[in-house]
Amino acid sequence: MSNFMSCKLRTFLGEPMGEKCVAFVDGVGRDLARSLITCGYDKAYVLLGQFLLMHKKDEEFQMWLRMSFGATRQEARMIANCLREWCNSFI
């Protein structure tokens, strides 16, 4: 993990995931959240499930976010990092 952690990432990792909206995942902005929710990825745990189905392969997951939802490289990287760090902390 890098020494710098955004406030959003720190908050996400500091609390149980529970029923959090996908918008709480670090890297997910308003427009991307809307696209994810429209396609059924409304909860953070649903997006985490996709990450796990892809065997936590960052590059594959990031490409899926970019191709399926129009995420930028930066957004995709931040989301993958957030979910990877969550897995490292809780699984």
Side-chain angles (χ1 to χ4, degrees), residues 21-23 28-42 69:
C21 177
V22 72
V28 177
R30 184 178 54 220
D31 293 337
L32 184 54
R34 211 171 315 176
S35 296
L36 288 162
I37 290 167
T38 299
C39 291
Y41 294 89
D42 58 335
F69 302 101

Side-chain angles (χ1 to χ4, degrees), residues 23-89:
F24 283 93
V25 175
D26 191 37
V28 177
R30 184 178 54 220
D31 293 337
L32 184 54
R34 211 171 315 176
S35 296
L36 288 162
I37 290 167
T38 299
C39 291
Y41 294 89
D42 58 335
K43 302 290 183 183
Y45 69 82
V46 178
L47 191 60
L48 173 65
Q50 183 64 39
F51 182 68
L52 294 173
L53 283 172
M54 294 180 157
H55 302 277
K56 299 191 282 187
K57 294 179 182 173
D58 285 5
E59 288 184 27
E60 184 179 324
F61 182 71
Q62 290 176 42
M63 183 60 69
W64 173 78
L65 286 168
R66 292 174 55 216
M67 300 303 288
S68 300
F69 302 101
T72 65
R73 286 182 190 266
Q74 177 70 6
E75 288 170 330
R77 186 190 61 74
M78 290 173 70
I79 295 164
N81 179 61
C82 181
L83 296 177
R84 183 179 357 87
E85 292 298 335
W86 189 91
C87 288
N88 290 343
S89 296

